[in-house]
Amino acid sequence: MTRMRTMKEFSLIINGDSVATSDHFDVINPADKSVVARCPKATVEQLNEAIVAAKAAFPAWSALTYAERRAKLMQLADALEAKSNAFMTLLTQEQGKPTKGFADLGAGFELGGTLAWIRSTASMELMPETIQDNEIAHIAIHRKALGVVGSITPWNYPLLMGIWHMIPALITGNTVIIKPSEMTPLTTLYFGKIAKDILPKGVLNVVTGAAGEIGEAMSSHKDIDKIVFTGSTPTGKAIMKSAANSLKRLTLELGGNDAGIVLADADIEAVAGKIFATAFINNGQTCAALKRLYVHESVHDQLCEALTNIAGSVKTGNGLDVDTDFGPLQNEKQLDIVKALAQDAKERGANFLCGGKVINETGYFYPITLVNNIQDGARLVDEEQFGPILPIIKFKDVEEAIASANRLAVGLGGSVWSTDIKRAQDVASRLECGTVWINNHAMVQPDAPFGGVKDSGFGVAFGEAGLKEFTSIQTMQTFKS
């Protein structure tokens, strides 16, 4: 795909049609700061057209059976899979992640997850729940689609997270308007282009715009019945305020700063690779990545050495290069955040085991960085870095580590690493987070509910619990006399 052709083929998807705009904005390749494409910039009027189309399409789409909607979504998965190479290349160009990447966790991983999530979620179904059936009455709980769902997605997993929002909404009978991040809109626009020839008109609409305007208009619009958002806590709070006037349903997966606790009996040789992979998955740009590592003093030095050895074996570079393990950060703003957190750690006397200095300025590159001799209170520990730098904090007593893990306002994920599973589970149960892993981290799957607590948001994704987020309850009571 040449750059000129790429620039010509992107358009909004409204009511099953490709819609041009009078204004555009640049999408930047973070590996070399070149322009990947000119992205259509929607007006609020075009958003309103999409909302009208989605509302008009809702009655017919929601009236279909699960089997009928499932057939369309499975067809969509097949069409996406047929374009796998194009999607992976575009994903690398706009987001930066390598095609393969460290531990096969690059663009191929995101595409594979996308296909798995479509097919798994589309296979699910919410059946009526009978709570009484006797000679007096039959009482059942039915689940009904909400209407028009607005999806606002981030830039770290643009294709996969779009699917996490769209597919449960669609299979339960809702229609969708999705606004991807202005940093990474291209794979979502390409997905919409494929979907418009498979789904009925108006069922899925893709509207792209610059930061703020379109998202704000969506969250306040009276004819959007639900917003599902993945992103920062401040933006989530702003969405709640905008949604209040229409009592809009919300699912918010917000910021995290996941803690991992490595107990004294952990098998360091066995877990070091997993800890490294789950801390630096997607170059650390993962909501539920391991971001604070608390390590018992008896195994601290051994783990630091093991992680440093792994770091020395990987390559950071352009994601289109076949031997690249980690790509750039997605944007300059995020790079600046990582650099500022590293500088604060240096000023506090932290020890940099590796990395910590930009050596490639052709793109938004930052090397894999490990930092120890650091404590709670440092910005690198207390703030979500969302990049390839991991603070390692030594502890003596597990109660100390639990208190440290729980002291922040966020609560997305957490983990405990130990050979004593029962003890690990006991510690894990005391962590204040929506998901906790034993001897792993950041691993999600389509049938296991996932969501945050505290300032990490509310509502869940995945599984039957995730489907229910896109429905309302209607209790039907039938009396027999």
Side-chain angles (χ1 to χ4, degrees):
M1 183 186 296
T2 65
R3 182 174 298 171
M4 184 62 68
R5 182 182 173 191
T6 299
M7 290 184 179
K8 286 183 175 181
E9 71 176 357
F10 294 105
S11 57
L12 308 179
I13 305 298
I14 299 175
N15 200 29
D17 294 321
S18 297
V19 176
T21 61
S22 59
D23 198 5
H24 298 77
F25 58 92
D26 291 342
V27 178
I28 303 300
N29 183 333
D32 59 15
K33 305 179 187 178
S34 66
V35 176
V36 179
R38 299 273 288 159
C39 179
K41 183 179 180 181
T43 63
V44 172
E45 290 72 24
Q46 287 172 317
L47 170 64
N48 291 336
E49 291 172 10
I51 294 171
V52 169
K55 189 172 181 179
F58 173 70
W61 180 251
S62 62
L64 296 178
T65 65
Y66 270 89
E68 289 169 327
R69 293 193 293 264
R70 180 177 301 118
K72 290 291 187 182
L73 297 179
M74 292 299 189
Q75 185 181 350
L76 185 53
D78 292 343
L80 189 156
E81 187 170 20
K83 301 287 188 179
S84 291
N85 289 336
F87 269 105
M88 285 191 291
T89 299
L90 192 59
L91 186 58
T92 297
Q93 289 175 324
E94 70 170 345
Q95 202 282 330
K97 64 189 64 182
T99 301
K100 186 175 181 181
F102 180 81
D104 293 327
L105 295 175
F109 171 78
E110 180 164 349
L111 180 71
T114 296
L115 295 171
W117 247 272
I118 296 175
R119 288 167 175 152
S120 177
T121 305
S123 298
M124 299 176 188
E125 186 169 341
L126 295 178
M127 301 295 292
E129 302 172 42
T130 299
I131 60 173
Q132 180 178 327
D133 187 15
N134 56 22
E135 67 279 2
I136 298 174
H138 180 274
I139 303 176
I141 299 171
H142 294 259
R143 290 278 174 173
K144 302 184 70 174
L146 297 172
V148 179
V149 171
S151 161
I152 303 174
T153 55
W155 46 258
N156 56 331
Y157 288 94
L159 183 61
L160 181 58
M161 287 194 177
I163 292 305
W164 288 358
H165 290 191
M166 288 185 282
I167 301 304
L170 293 171
I171 191 61
T172 48
N174 302 279
T175 54
V176 172
I177 298 160
I178 183 168
K179 183 233 172 263
S181 167
E182 67 279 4
M183 302 287 189
T184 54
L186 304 180
T187 46
T188 305
L189 287 168
Y190 191 25
F191 180 82
K193 180 182 178 182
I194 292 174
K196 75 179 180 63
D197 296 327
I198 296 173
L199 301 177
K201 286 181 175 293
V203 168
L204 175 63
N205 306 271
V206 185
V207 181
T208 51
E213 182 182 24
I214 297 299
E216 289 172 8
M218 288 172 65
S219 59
S220 62
H221 201 291
K222 64 180 179 61
D223 289 330
I224 291 183
D225 301 284
K226 176 185 175 73
I227 292 287
V228 54
F229 168 74
T230 302
S232 72
T233 298
T235 303
K237 290 178 178 180
I239 288 172
M240 285 189 71
K241 291 179 182 178
S242 297
N245 287 338
S246 58
L247 293 178
K248 206 179 304 298
R249 301 288 187 96
L250 297 172
T251 296
L252 303 176
E253 189 218 301
L254 307 179
N257 194 349
D258 286 13
I261 299 176
V262 182
L263 300 182
D265 63 355
D267 183 342
I268 299 304
E269 186 176 341
V271 304
K274 284 186 178 181
I275 289 173
F276 187 91
T278 56
F280 296 109
I281 183 173
N282 200 31
N283 215 20
Q285 300 167 115
T286 299
C287 299
L290 200 168
K291 298 187 173 82
R292 295 178 286 152
L293 186 61
Y294 294 91
V295 184
H296 190 270
E297 60 183 4
S298 64
V299 292
H300 172 271
D301 291 354
Q302 182 187 356
L303 180 56
C304 286
E305 181 180 3
L307 294 176
T308 304
N309 288 339
I310 298 172
S313 70
V314 301
K315 176 187 174 183
T316 295
N318 191 316
L320 293 176
D321 295 341
V322 294
D323 60 343
T324 292
D325 296 296
F326 296 98
L329 288 158
Q330 199 286 321
N331 57 81
E332 187 174 17
K333 180 180 178 181
Q334 196 59 45
L335 174 62
D336 288 343
I337 290 171
V338 172
K339 290 194 292 187
L341 297 182
Q343 183 61 34
D344 179 77
K346 290 175 183 177
E347 292 173 359
R348 291 171 178 267
N351 178 48
F352 281 65
L353 295 164
C354 60
K357 183 179 180 181
V358 174
I359 56 175
N360 181 352
E361 295 185 349
T362 60
Y364 305 130
F365 294 103
Y366 197 86
I368 298 295
T369 302
L370 296 163
V371 182
N372 67 2
N373 191 32
I374 192 167
Q375 303 299 325
D376 291 352
R379 288 186 61 194
L380 181 57
V381 178
D382 287 11
E383 300 177 27
E384 182 180 29
Q385 68 272 53
F386 220 65
I389 179 169
L390 178 67
I392 304 169
I393 307 101
K394 185 189 300 186
F395 72 87
K396 290 184 178 182
D397 182 77
V398 70
E399 295 298 323
E400 168 192 340
I402 294 170
S404 289
N406 289 338
R407 71 186 180 85
L408 299 182
V410 290
L412 191 57
S415 60
V416 182
W417 305 76
S418 173
T419 54
D420 185 337
I421 299 302
K422 177 63 170 62
R423 184 173 182 232
Q425 290 174 333
D426 289 342
V427 173
S429 69
R430 297 173 59 193
L431 296 183
E432 297 169 357
C433 52
T435 298
V436 64
W437 295 271
I438 309 295
N439 293 327
N440 215 325
H441 200 109
M443 296 294 104
V444 293
Q445 59 189 61
D447 56 352
F450 176 79
V453 299
K454 302 197 291 188
D455 279 4
S456 290
F458 56 82
V460 297
F462 315 150
E464 184 176 298
L467 289 191
K468 289 178 177 178
E469 294 275 333
F470 294 89
T471 65
S472 61
I473 286 177
Q474 184 181 65
T475 302
M476 185 176 293
Q477 303 190 31
T478 303
F479 287 87
K480 298 182 180 179
S481 62

